[in-house]
Amino acid sequence: MNGKPLLLFDMDGTLIEVKDPSRHGPHVRNAPTYGSIKQRMKDIAAAHGVPRGEVAGLERMAHIWNAARAHADRNGFPEESTAALMAAINKAFMEEERADHALSVLVPGAEEALSSLREAGYDISLVTTASRASV
């Protein structure tokens, strides 16, 4: 980095908006496909040796992912077993993340504003919960 540092936190709605708001929001989060991906993640964890009780009550995909990984770490899963568990969970997780991010676009003017900041000598870093693949 040679310029002035600038750190942006991208919480939903800061730099992106939803293309079609009718396809996003709490009602979508309760849609059967969303719920089925979470259930699939729980089933994958159980199939790989994570007790169902450790993930059964979790309602966020990130929490299911974290609980499965923590269980593997706490219980000394072999590296290959942990890698297989996480790869299987990641596949389901990424399906939902990509579908969710496919509904998003940059807010009008965001690209121009970021370009202007870069031209003004800022080194821009962005903090987001999105994976590199979805970004």
Side-chain angles (χ1 to χ4, degrees):
M1 288 192 177
N2 297 327
K4 301 172 274 190
L6 175 64
L7 180 62
L8 298 174
F9 288 87
D10 178 31
M11 305 304 190
D12 288 345
T14 305
L15 296 177
I16 61 169
E17 64 185 4
V18 179
K19 287 184 217 175
D20 180 359
S22 70
R23 296 185 58 206
H24 195 68
H27 64 283
V28 173
R29 294 278 185 221
N30 296 320
T33 56
Y34 185 78
S36 67
I37 288 174
K38 290 190 295 185
Q39 186 57 52
R40 213 165 87 215
M41 290 173 68
K42 293 174 185 182
D43 292 342
I44 290 165
H48 285 265
V50 176
R52 285 197 182 271
E54 289 200 27
V55 294
L58 302 176
E59 292 302 319
R60 297 201 58 188
M61 291 188 306
H63 294 167
I64 298 165
W65 192 99
N66 288 336
R69 178 61 196 235
H71 178 84
D73 290 345
R74 274 193 321 272
N75 291 282
F77 279 30
E79 190 174 320
E80 311 81 48
S81 298
T82 300
L85 163 64
M86 299 319 296
I89 285 180
N90 282 338
K91 184 176 181 199
F93 185 90
M94 291 306 298
E95 280 179 30
E96 178 58 29
E97 186 181 74
R98 285 189 184 117
D100 198 33
H101 287 101
L103 299 175
S104 301
V105 294
L106 286 171
V107 296
E111 190 170 354
E112 294 82 3
L114 293 171
S115 292
S116 294
L117 289 167
R118 173 65 98 188
E119 289 167 11
Y122 285 94
D123 289 323
I124 301 171
S125 298
L126 178 67
V127 176
T128 181
T129 57
S131 67
R132 287 184 182 267
S134 292
V135 170

